[in-house]
Amino acid sequence: PRSTRTTTLFPYTTLFRPRGCTYFAILVNPTGCLERRESMNSLRSSGMLLVLTTALALTACTPPEAGPTPAASSPSATPTPSPTVAAISAPAPVFDVECGDLASEATLADALGASAISIDPAEATMGAYPAISPTYAVRSLGGITCEWSNGEPQSDTTGLNPAYVGTRALVLPNATSQWERYLAYYGPDAEGDYCGAYEGPLHCTTDVLTGSTWVQLTTVGATSEAAASALGAEVVAAISGAGPGAAPWTPPAGTSALPADCPGVIPDAAVQSALGIDATVQASSGGGGWSLEAGARENWGGPHCYWAFLDSDAGVGSLATLPGGAWAWDEARTFLTLPSVPEAVTIAGLSADDEAWLRCAPGDAYCLIDLVIGGNWVEAYVWPDDAGFSIDRRAGALAIGEAIVASLG
């Protein structure tokens, strides 16, 4: 039944979107990201960090014991001055419409029950979950990403923010094959409008292919199914009537090509060494389900995985990339505050034209290292502790950054 598609696991899951597993859920669980809903719900109720429930709730397996912490010679975290960056080439929609053309203020007010502000969906998602937002892949492909809300952060990964009321529109061009894959997985009833009350507020989605463009609208806190359906129809009509916009974007000349898989970005053994653990880890991917974000990620490319222990879904962190994503980091670092404001750091071997930034939670409970290298955005996320690991996550994130720089040259 359609109502079973209300929660899935891992970054960009579908609490916000009742139909379909989103791309990280798909990458992580090869047997399908729907079957382990109860595990996630149980962990959420346990009081652990939300980010931890996102990262490690995929398995009931106990990870092998951790080894020693990284050596004291880990790369320096001495802040460096923020670089002065020239204007970076960024993608633009291949349609001649923008967010303000998709829906009227009256239709939005009818659907949401109050006035709403326009906000970048990447800011909304990364304000609740710190990893690279999948909306950047949509934009890289000339798509449109829009959000109108009460300004509260919202990420499917960490579950519903009860204070959030808003609607998110994603428009993905040249998406016929991805749409067909979506329908093949969920069946023809996955097309059109659907509403359901999950964890309280009314959630409504619209998924439509118009021409070769996939239009998805998700509303949380909808006033009624009829009002949400009318909003979806207005957005679809605006896209259906749109003319051509900008030419398809390509990364600037000189942007380095990323390897095809995660071990090409950083070998598994280097991750293990950087974190100072004696248990073997391996880059893992795969999955079940499909979604617009998954299609955008696949169409744009770039390796994406998590580091698991052998024969286990449990792991220590994840890797995300956005090819040509220097422009996206340039935008994101102006609003990022989760888990902290980005701190410029020095990484041995990093070119003067590239950048490294560290973000750590209080007490270094978890850390992310964001690299702008060769014009690409490469991000490593060292997850929160589970099962008593003795890992210095700040030093480990910096060591992973150094290994990535050494690998990518």
Side-chain angles (χ1 to χ4, degrees), residues 2 131 176 307 313 352 385 395:
R2 299 173 73 176
T176 301
W307 295 303
D313 283 340
D385 178 46

Side-chain angles (χ1 to χ4, degrees), residues 14-404:
T14 55
L15 292 174
F16 195 73
R17 194 166 296 102
R19 290 193 296 243
C21 302
T22 49
Y23 76 87
F24 216 119
I26 293 156
L27 287 168
V28 168
N29 187 354
T31 60
C33 53
L34 303 179
E35 289 82 355
R36 302 194 182 187
R37 298 195 313 270
E38 296 305 320
S39 173
M40 182 63 155
N41 291 338
S42 174
L43 283 169
R44 278 186 182 145
S45 65
S46 71
M48 291 188 295
L49 284 171
L50 284 173
V51 174
L52 173 60
T53 66
T54 299
L56 295 178
L58 293 167
T59 179
C61 303
T62 301
E65 290 186 6
T69 58
S73 58
S74 298
S76 168
T78 303
T80 57
S82 298
T84 301
V85 181
I88 297 176
S89 170
V94 296
F95 310 93
D96 67 351
V97 294
E98 54 189 24
C99 292
D101 303 314
L102 299 187
S104 69
E105 291 184 6
T107 305
L108 286 165
D110 285 345
L112 299 176
S115 60
I117 62 171
S118 178
I119 187 172
D120 180 357
E123 181 174 358
T125 58
M126 296 183 75
Y129 184 79
I132 297 175
S133 171
T135 61
Y136 286 128
V138 176
R139 288 179 58 192
S140 295
L141 291 159
I144 300 174
T145 65
C146 309
E147 184 158 339
W148 301 272
S149 75
N150 60 357
E152 288 285 331
Q154 170 62 34
S155 169
D156 305 342
T157 306
T158 52
L160 178 67
N161 175 359
Y164 178 86
V165 176
T167 188
R168 185 172 295 165
L170 303 179
V171 180
L172 182 64
N174 302 313
T176 301
S177 63
Q178 304 297 350
W179 175 260
E180 291 172 349
R181 185 170 177 177
Y182 170 71
L183 291 186
Y185 194 89
Y186 295 110
D189 67 336
E191 180 175 11
D193 299 327
Y194 173 73
C195 286
Y198 179 76
E199 293 185 358
L202 185 64
H203 294 58
C204 294
T205 63
T206 298
D207 282 282
V208 172
L209 187 73
T210 174
S212 62
T213 300
W214 186 346
V215 180
Q216 180 184 86
L217 195 78
T218 308
T219 303
V220 173
T223 56
S224 69
E225 294 189 23
S229 179
L231 176 58
E234 190 167 310
V235 172
V236 171
I239 296 299
S240 298
W249 184 75
T250 56
T255 300
S256 300
L258 287 172
D261 58 18
C262 289
V265 176
I266 176 172
D268 295 342
V271 176
Q272 180 182 341
S273 175
L275 298 180
I277 55 178
D278 56 10
T280 301
V281 297
Q282 61 183 354
S284 300
S285 61
W290 206 241
S291 69
L292 185 149
E293 294 100 322
R297 219 294 282 138
E298 181 173 272
N299 282 356
W300 187 243
H304 203 117
C305 64
Y306 79 115
W307 295 303
F309 297 104
L310 292 176
D311 302 318
S312 172
D313 283 340
V316 292
S318 56
L319 180 75
T321 66
L322 185 70
W327 65 272
W329 172 254
D330 198 50
E331 290 184 2
R333 72 181 181 88
T334 65
F335 61 70
L336 282 174
T337 58
L338 187 71
S340 62
V341 173
E343 169 193 355
V345 294
T346 299
I347 298 290
L350 192 67
S351 165
D353 295 329
D354 296 329
E355 305 172 43
W357 302 81
L358 185 68
R359 292 180 283 148
C360 286
D364 296 340
Y366 63 93
C367 292
L368 298 94
I369 186 79
D370 293 285
L371 302 172
V372 177
I373 183 166
N376 306 295
W377 183 359
V378 178
E379 178 185 84
Y381 182 0
V382 182
W383 292 342
D385 178 46
D386 187 47
F389 290 116
S390 297
I391 297 175
D392 182 337
R393 284 161 175 77
R394 175 177 290 264
L398 289 163
I400 287 174
E402 185 174 78
I404 290 173

